[in-house]
Amino acid sequence: MSKIKVRTRIVEIDGDEMTRIMWKMVKEKLLFPFLDMDLDYYDLHLSKRDETDDQITRDAAEAIKKYGVGVKCATITPDKSRVEEYNLKQMWKSPNGTIRAMLDGTVFRSPILVKNVKPAVKNWVKPIIIGRHAYGDVYKNTEMAIPGPGKAEIVFTPAGGGEAQRLTVQEFDSPGVLQGIHNLDSSIRSFAQACFTFAYDQKIDLWFSVKDTISKTYDARFREIFADEYEQNWREKFKEANLIYFFTLIDDAVARVMKDEGGFLWACKNYDGDVMSDMVASAFGSLAMMTSVLVSPHGYFEYEAAHGTVQKHYYKHQAGEKTSTNSTAIIFAWTGCLKKRGELDGTPDVVEFAQKLEESTIETIESGIMTGDIARISEPKPDSPVGTEEFIDAIALKLQKKM
Ligand code: NAP
Ligand code: MG
């Protein structure tokens, strides 16, 4: 059998712990036997980031800018205990945060559906994809504790001189708390562009929701920018593709989502996206069945699993115990990346391979071969869950038959 040629280089970003173990297995058993591909490899193992003063992370982001498409393994975001565990020079920042900032991207998370895992919301039959704005609001806030009576104001001082604008927030007559948040038109605009681009690309409707009845300037700005982007660049395209842009208040959106069958992109402000993506993920089953893609308005794509490095399983693996860790989201990160690469390169055989690999993975789970995380919630339950490697071997067997 001759291998399928991937025309352009793919940026491969390796990571940590259990996901690093699965990453290698996926490449060796599910990709390399079938594909002839050139990889631009960046090792973001925590010790490598430490060794290079995190330059390797910035290099990886630059490579995605150069080639357009990358795939990333989960990485440790160090905290105090990791600084000790890996004897780090400093507590390096989240690689995902660094890459996201460099690519100016929006993250879209999509659940992978299988017949034997029923969503907690029984009418959800299609994926609900969440697009989370990843800049500003309470994630970049300034806040203070108010010790007692006094006046709190917000003040804007124009850079070029001129009179400052001030507004009273509250006349405190007892202790309390105070918070200042902001956002930028440019960031909201690129979020809107990423959402319309992604929905159009996937041929799904776009929902957007804020609370502009209460927040008549701040949230209203989000609504205006989305509406403007739609009118200027997407109304015609959406109409032709039979897609809908639907705006509603956030509380109404939440109520509708519960009654809908799914199959749309839900664009959320930063906090709403943080909360709703975890709710949607857990209602669809398992974190290991959730893929994630970072889409930049400049046309860069980075695919990954939504879960972390699965630390607890890794320690078991290191202790020589058998693990049952689910590689589905990692596999889908690779297939997402290959499909996009094939689309951009005009190589349908690469896209077709990615589809076959996705089918093989889903069919494996639906045939009752699954890891512990899904075995717990599957109907019917399998006799016993399979091990990490056995699961990948079973997929490889199905895939070979399709090739
Ligand atoms: P996690 O790695 O997502 O794992 C949390 C728990 O979810 C696991 O203990 C496991 O539950 C279950 N789980 C997640 N993925 C699974 C899979 N593929 N198969 C089976 N079960 C799975 O989150 P964490 O333990 O909070 O974080 C570990 C490290 O990951 C941290 O250092 C964090 O910084 C990093 N992280 C990285 C990313 C990223 O790079 N995108 C994202 C999040 C976290 P059971 O133990 O109950 O089986
Ligand atoms: Mg969250």
Side-chain angles (χ1 to χ4, degrees), residues 347-358:
T347 48
D349 49 344
V350 173
V351 178
E352 200 187 315
F353 168 78
Q355 255 145 12
K356 283 180 182 164
L357 177 49
E358 288 184 358

Side-chain angles (χ1 to χ4, degrees), residues 109 132 273-275 277-278:
R109 284 171 74 170
R132 173 182 170 188
D274 186 349
V275 176
S277 62
D278 285 359

